[in-house]
Amino acid sequence: MSDTKHPNIIIIYADDLGFGDVSCYGANDIPTPNLDKLAEEGLKFHQGYATAATCTPSRYSLLTGSYPWRNPDAAVLPGDAPQIIGIRDNTMPKMLQKVGYRTGIVGKWHLGLGDGDLDFNREIQGTPNDVGFDDSYIMAATNDRVPCVYIDNRHVDDLDPADPIEVTYDWDKAFADVPTGRHNPELLDVMYDHGHDGTIINGVSRIGHMRGGQSAIWDDETMGEVFADKAIEFIERNQDEPFFLYYALHQPHVPRIPNPRFRGVTPHGVRGDVIVEMDWCIGKVLDRLESLGLKDNTLVIFSSDNGPVLNDGYKDQAVEFNGDHRMAGPLRGGKYSLFEGGTRVPFIVRWPAQIQPGETDALFNQVDLYHSFAQIVNQPLDSVEAPDSQALLETLTGRDTHGRDSMVLEGMQYKKVFRDQRYAYIPPHDDDFVCQYTGNEKGNLSKPQLFDLHDDVGQVVNLAEQMPEKVAELEEKLQDVINSEKTR
Ligand code: NG6
Ligand code: CA
């Protein structure tokens, strides 16, 4: 049984959901009643951050307690990439296993699989099960990448051995007999825009190529429900012991393919519709938690892996239907961005037994969950464990309203921002200001940028020339973190 030293823990993690994308964070015409209820019953953070503005790096940090740029492999991965968390590495679920938790992941993984010779037709070595999860039911990478199949622990679910799966990300090795978006656009339900012109699965071309595995191919329209049901099964199976569930939703990442009953429920086309679908899935899981009598002593955390984007590879009319919806709320930038919209995301924490409902301005980063959970279960961390994770249980539970003094955030490809309690400092970076594919502002400039977030949360006025001492101070602090030993 759980007790307040061993509450159940559920991390609900959206994919590409922006700071302003749910109704409790200001999206008035995207109804998210289940998240609104979670926010009413819990603590709503105004300054909760993902560690990076893309997926793999943020997920890496969440689970390892280490900044992603410390690991050169922590970049957005293809679906056949080797696992980037080593089997001997410390992870949040391993730490919880040590104190008796049952651990599970359902949904998006995107941290690689296998150890270099990945074969989807065999038992896979190098899965979430090898880095701390007792149970896993996942997609390998993203819903726009092959292989488009679910993986149940170490096996592709529903695979017919007579129809093996082959996967490649190399156009030179593409399967001549398999239709692609590039060569067979007449077969598409949704036209690709950039990069997503490989194998056509369910009328949608993906990044990469796959052949075979027909019985195992997922149905995009039911994916939300499949993951919600698997999450519920995990909770039901483990209701009598403390459990940790990492429930990683695929919404609202592209391709956005809502279940038909959610089509048209918002004025914002498929992007709005899949956010409402996401909220419904979360409600289904949280309702079951409540009906099992587990709500009071379960710590539920809701957040997102990075900021929002409209056109991320398909002409799905997200751009046309966005209207005046502000995906990142008052923040500048979105996915891929060094500006606040890249990493500041919805962050809600509910634990009725221990947390008073309310709101907080405290600075909190998802990388801190590891150490903060260790505080709850009273598990000491060794000297190299979760090196960037701060012990912020008091902040997480609302008793402290300050949080971190500072943190390093990542835009793309290890490019960094230094954030203290008041300022965001973006060093000079030699790269594009605007992302050529998505139109999102990545925010790179050849000169330093400094923003006062107290007075200018939208990051309009660059103070760097006016405040050279502040720039120098924050640059030095950034270098200190970069050069610090990877120990605590
Ligand atoms: C990018 C893809 C984008 C998306 C992203 C991963 C192109 C041009 N863009 O490389 O569509 O798949 O990777 O998203 O291919 S994430 O949320 O998993 O980081
Ligand atoms: Ca993402």
Side-chain angles (χ1 to χ4, degrees), residues 109-120:
W109 178 234
H110 212 187
L111 292 166
L113 289 171
D115 48 16
D117 55 354
L118 179 60
D119 180 347
F120 287 99

Side-chain angles (χ1 to χ4, degrees), residues 15-16 54-56 76 108 110 142 144-145 194-196 207 253-254 305-306 312-313 335-336 437:
D15 193 0
D16 298 2
T54 56
C55 175
T56 301
V76 174
K108 175 171 177 171
H110 212 187
T142 59
D144 60 358
R145 283 171 171 75
H194 48 254
H196 298 63
I207 303 178
H253 196 282
V254 295
D305 66 339
N306 53 252
D312 206 16
K335 186 176 183 179
Y336 311 117
Y437 300 116

Side-chain angles (χ1 to χ4, degrees), residues 169-422:
Y169 276 72
D170 183 349
W171 264 102
D172 294 338
K173 295 183 187 151
F175 311 107
D177 53 338
V178 176
T180 61
R182 185 180 294 187
H183 298 305
N184 310 88
E186 72 285 356
L187 300 177
L188 295 175
D189 295 336
V190 189
M191 190 59 194
Y192 65 85
D193 190 53
H194 48 254
H196 298 63
D197 55 353
T199 298
I200 300 174
I201 305 279
N202 305 334
V204 180
S205 50
R206 317 277 166 154
I207 303 178
H209 308 270
M210 72 176 283
R211 174 160 68 181
Q214 285 306 305
S215 59
I217 300 283
W218 69 44
D219 173 1
D220 295 272
E221 289 185 347
T222 59
M223 183 176 283
E225 207 160 348
V226 167
F227 287 147
D229 287 343
K230 291 287 174 189
I232 288 170
E233 282 171 30
F234 175 83
I235 293 170
E236 288 174 343
R237 262 200 319 279
N238 297 292
Q239 57 180 293
D240 294 328
E241 42 205 329
F243 63 78
F244 166 64
L245 171 64
Y246 173 32
Y247 174 32
L249 298 134
H250 72 290
Q251 299 109 330
H253 196 282
V254 295
R256 304 171 182 121
I257 308 176
N259 190 279
R261 65 182 188 282
F262 292 100
R263 267 193 194 266
V265 294
T266 70
H268 299 303
V270 286
R271 187 170 186 280
D273 298 348
V274 296
I275 292 174
V276 174
E277 180 190 76
M278 173 195 79
D279 179 76
W280 178 86
C281 295
I282 291 167
K284 195 172 185 207
V285 174
L286 293 181
D287 285 352
R288 188 66 187 124
L289 187 77
E290 190 163 352
S291 69
L292 287 168
L294 301 174
K295 174 176 165 181
D296 203 44
N297 197 33
T298 299
L299 168 59
V300 176
I301 295 178
F302 172 76
S303 200
S304 172
D305 66 339
N306 53 252
V309 57
L310 288 172
N311 177 349
D312 206 16
Y314 296 98
K315 293 186 168 139
D316 63 3
Q317 295 198 295
V319 175
E320 291 80 349
F321 283 105
N322 190 55
D324 56 8
H325 171 57
R326 301 184 71 181
M327 301 185 292
L331 309 177
R332 184 168 183 179
K335 186 176 183 179
Y336 311 117
S337 185
L338 293 158
F339 294 125
E340 288 282 292
T343 47
R344 199 196 290 200
V345 285
F347 192 91
I348 303 169
V349 181
R350 184 187 77 182
W351 183 8
Q354 292 288 314
I355 297 181
Q356 294 292 325
E359 303 190 14
T360 176
D361 283 320
L363 210 54
F364 194 92
N365 191 298
Q366 292 163 8
V367 76
D368 302 321
L369 288 172
Y370 191 137
H371 204 160
S372 305
F373 292 169
Q375 287 179 286
I376 297 176
V377 301
N378 209 8
Q379 173 71 5
L381 302 185
D382 73 37
S383 63
V384 293
E385 188 168 2
D388 299 303
S389 186
Q390 295 188 356
L392 293 179
L393 181 57
E394 294 295 300
T395 312
L396 193 65
T397 52
R399 289 187 281 264
D400 162 71
T401 56
H402 179 86
R404 271 186 172 259
D405 289 331
S406 64
M407 60 193 172
V408 178
L409 300 163
E410 180 181 306
M412 281 184 80
Q413 288 135 351
Y414 325 112
K415 295 190 177 65
K416 301 170 189 73
V417 182
F418 191 83
R419 170 74 219 270
D420 72 4
Q421 279 272 334
R422 179 157 189 174

